[in-house]
Amino acid sequence: MGRIGTEKKFEIVKRRKSGEPASALAAEFGVSEKSVKRWFDAYKERGKKGLDNKSTKPKKSPNKISKNMERMVLEFKEKHTEWRPATIAKELKMQGFSISHPKVKDILIKHKKHAIWGKKGNKEWFQWLTKPEA
């Protein structure tokens, strides 16, 4: 079922307030008993405002890479085209920056600067790695 809207929650809370068991309401609406109790408590504390759906988006992105770090990774790749992500990450760490090679790879893929190549039989192949469109 997806998220339950404020009006549905309010209906559940009203019925709970009138004495219906949380377990029966949970079963009827396809939610957990814990959710029914949490909504009931939120309504008691903050009224109908307490039933609003809250954003699940984080307030901060601690793993987000700065534009400056992205620029440095791309500069290293331009100067040293043969370097792989692990080598770039290692070089940046030696200069006092903290970045993992998977993050370096993500940056290179985002900017179409990371490729894979190989050989099958006598045919060589080459492919730019790109992030799939969301």
Side-chain angles (χ1 to χ4, degrees):
M1 183 176 212
R3 288 188 142 211
I4 301 238
T6 305
E7 290 305 316
K8 273 281 193 236
K9 290 178 189 177
F10 186 56
E11 181 185 338
I12 292 169
V13 167
K14 282 192 304 187
R15 288 174 56 184
R16 176 74 186 110
K17 206 172 173 183
S18 70
E20 286 190 52
S23 58
L25 290 166
E28 181 182 335
F29 287 91
V31 297
S32 70
E33 194 173 334
K34 185 178 178 180
S35 291
V36 173
K37 290 176 180 176
R38 188 176 64 242
W39 297 333
F40 187 71
D41 291 342
Y43 179 77
K44 283 195 302 188
E45 285 181 31
R46 296 183 305 280
K48 204 168 179 181
K49 265 276 197 236
L51 302 177
D52 288 342
N53 285 327
K54 294 166 190 70
S55 172
T56 57
K57 183 180 176 187
K59 289 177 177 49
K60 293 182 180 181
S61 299
N63 296 328
K64 187 172 181 176
I65 299 296
S66 70
K67 293 288 181 196
N68 188 40
M69 180 61 76
E70 232 176 89
R71 183 184 51 74
M72 289 181 357
V73 167
L74 294 171
E75 284 175 4
F76 267 109
K77 188 63 175 176
E78 282 179 30
K79 288 178 189 171
H80 309 281
T81 55
E82 72 286 355
W83 282 11
R84 303 185 70 83
T87 309
I88 294 171
K90 185 177 177 182
E91 187 64 32
L92 285 167
K93 282 180 185 171
M94 288 186 344
Q95 293 186 15
F97 299 100
S98 177
I99 187 168
S100 66
H101 75 272
K103 283 288 183 189
V104 170
K105 184 177 177 181
D106 288 345
I107 292 168
L108 296 175
I109 289 172
K110 176 181 169 187
H111 293 278
K112 296 184 180 178
K113 302 286 184 186
H114 187 65
I116 55 172
W117 57 90
K119 197 173 192 177
K120 189 169 188 173
N122 61 354
K123 290 188 177 185
E124 288 189 20
W125 57 271
F126 172 89
Q127 177 185 353
W128 286 106
L129 294 180
T130 57
K131 290 236 180 233
E133 296 297 320

